[in-house]
Amino acid sequence: MMLQGRNAIVTGSTSGIGLGIAEALAKQGANILINGFGDAAQIEATRAKLAADHGVKVIYSGADMSKPDQIVGMVEQATKELGSVDILVNNAGIQHVSPIEEFPVEKWDAIIAINLSASFHAIRAVVPQMKARKSGRIINLASAHALVASPFKSAYVAAKHGVAGLTKTVALELAEFGITVNAICPGYVLTPLVEKQIPDTMKARNMTHDQVVRDVLLHAQPTKRFVTVEEIGALAVFMASEGGASMTGAIVPMDGGWVAQ
Ligand code: NAD
């Protein structure tokens, strides 16, 4: 087990990619703080199952990633209850699809806060202890939309390009402290985040459900299939492992060939 005894925070891990990454890290022996919204009983069931399946400690924080003080509180909780934060995965994210002139201002603010600023606040809070130990792993979930754009996703694309810039900058600052900072750029993964945007895309582009999946989502992906959370989890494990020690400041696509075009 590559990550035995390491302690990890995975934000937005009650669902989708975050949960897949939490499972992949736990499978390698890491203790996990899971975070995110959802039904309390369901979250507790997820937490207990993750701990039992992999024989690791799993705790939960309901911190809202749009609230800087709650992000600091989450890092403090993990440090106190797990002992340290060795791996930080900034994954929580939301999406909104709308033409720019109709884009709701509060959606812009929420997407910038959760998809970009939350990573800044979490990194800022964990870096002192990682620097002191001269060791750490920071993994930011960006997107193929950190590298290329699609119409009607102004806030998301802006936030994800921001995540790429943040990743490179912090990687340079921490390079001599044994801390790596990388970004994973998935193509389309069939999670609730993607399922929820299909109706809005149908409206914005005047398409049927199947047309959106084929001509918008998978149109960009030469593999013609969704990326899986297990594949993203495997990349996160590599980035968190000893083998990833010289990989830093990397913006790594895992997108079925999308941005190669
Ligand atoms: P998802 O909707 O399945 O999960 C999002 C998670 O974030 C959930 O656990 C949710 O509760 C949590 N969350 C949302 N708002 C939060 C808040 N304010 N505070 C704390 N937690 C919050 O989404 P996903 O598809 O798994 O996306 C995860 C990440 O991967 C996001 O950053 C997303 O932009 C990125 N991504 C997804 C895809 C895709 O195709 N699904 C592609 C590229 C990048």
Side-chain angles (χ1 to χ4, degrees), residues 14-19 93-95 189-199 229:
T14 53
S15 155
I17 295 171
L19 182 55
I94 58 168
Q95 174 62 288
V189 186
L190 197 55
T191 65
L193 180 142
V194 168
E195 281 165 15
K196 272 184 275 183
Q197 66 187 276
I198 293 176
V229 298

Side-chain angles (χ1 to χ4, degrees), residues 26 80-81 155 177 202 207 230 242 247:
K80 194 161 154 246
E81 295 179 23
F177 293 90
M202 286 164 65
M207 285 178 165
E230 290 78 13
E242 282 311 308
M247 180 190 241

Side-chain angles (χ1 to χ4, degrees), residues 45-102:
T46 301
R47 188 206 63 74
K49 184 173 187 314
L50 206 51
D53 283 355
H54 305 291
V56 297
K57 188 166 179 182
V58 182
I59 61 173
Y60 169 69
S61 161
D64 180 342
M65 292 300 107
S66 68
K67 304 273 181 339
D69 56 327
Q70 294 189 26
I71 298 170
V72 172
M74 174 187 69
V75 171
E76 284 170 357
Q77 182 191 344
T79 307
K80 194 161 154 246
E81 295 179 23
L82 299 178
S84 62
V85 180
D86 307 302
I87 302 162
L88 168 66
V89 182
N90 289 307
N91 166 82
I94 58 168
Q95 174 62 288
H96 187 78
V97 179
S98 166
I100 185 76
E101 69 276 24
E102 292 163 21

